[in-house]
Amino acid sequence: MNFKELIAQLHEVNLHMQQNAIRAVNTSLTLRNWFFGFYILEFEQNGTGRAAYGKRLLARIAEELLPLNIPNTNERELRRFRQFYMVYPTAFSFILQQFSIRGLVFPESIIQALQSIRESSSPDLPIPASHFEKIFNTLSYSHFVELIKIEDPVKR
């Protein structure tokens, strides 16, 4: 290997690792946003099947998160996160797999809530975890923002 080949190899490794890092960040942000939607909806529903929307809940959450310097958590984004979760609730199997790999441990109540999603998921559109793995690792959250606007689940 000559010097130019060394530089080319170092450049190639750097590009590859940068792409992996970008993909990992995108996947983590997408998962974070799904969880934000999950927790917000669970809080709104308070264990019931139907949400009792509190006045200004999302605005209040946004106000509390602002000093914590959590990016993209204004009221509009929180509404999107909730919608994202509501559109893709059955992504839980992939999400549990991802977080168990990363060592995040969920309280039993969260696992039970996620399991209830499995039991209530639409039989019309059974979506395997491998599908979510593919789309969560391929698409950025901004792609999902566009997808959640599509009302027809088959088209989405």
Side-chain angles (χ1 to χ4, degrees):
M1 175 183 315
N2 65 35
F3 187 75
K4 276 191 165 190
E5 290 170 332
L6 170 65
I7 298 303
Q9 286 297 315
L10 294 175
H11 182 252
E12 185 67 29
V13 167
N14 183 64
L15 286 177
H16 179 74
M17 293 304 163
Q18 276 182 326
Q19 290 170 351
N20 285 348
I22 289 167
R23 235 182 336 270
V25 168
N26 281 335
T27 300
S28 292
L29 287 174
T30 301
L31 293 172
R32 177 204 80 155
N33 297 345
W34 187 93
F35 264 104
F36 275 31
F38 167 78
Y39 280 111
I40 289 167
L41 193 65
E42 282 296 308
F43 181 83
E44 287 175 335
Q45 291 182 344
N46 197 24
T48 65
R50 189 176 161 138
Y53 296 101
K55 293 189 187 215
R56 294 190 17 90
L57 174 64
L58 296 178
R60 289 178 46 215
I61 293 170
E63 289 169 10
E64 292 291 323
L65 294 177
L66 183 65
L68 299 175
N69 296 318
I70 301 173
N72 300 320
T73 54
N74 60 45
E75 183 177 356
R76 181 178 174 199
E77 289 302 316
L78 293 172
R79 189 171 286 106
R80 278 190 187 142
F81 300 160
R82 182 178 63 198
Q83 184 182 11
F84 177 44
Y85 166 73
M86 289 175 11
V87 168
Y88 294 105
T90 57
F92 75 92
S93 54
F94 167 68
I95 289 167
L96 282 177
Q97 173 189 5
Q98 289 297 305
F99 278 91
S100 66
I101 290 169
R102 293 186 176 132
L104 182 63
V105 178
F106 295 114
E108 186 61 32
S109 61
I110 298 304
I111 292 174
Q112 287 174 351
L114 289 171
Q115 294 298 335
S116 71
I117 293 166
R118 175 187 298 169
E119 294 162 6
S120 66
S121 65
S122 169
D124 301 334
L125 291 172
I127 302 171
S130 60
H131 173 72
F132 287 110
E133 181 176 1
K134 186 182 226 178
I135 64 171
F136 274 62
N137 286 321
T138 305
L139 301 178
S140 69
Y141 178 69
S142 58
H143 290 103
F144 283 105
V145 168
E146 296 304 314
L147 289 173
I148 63 177
K149 294 175 185 176
I150 301 170
E151 291 189 27
D152 183 352
V154 175
K155 289 180 181 180
R156 189 175 43 244

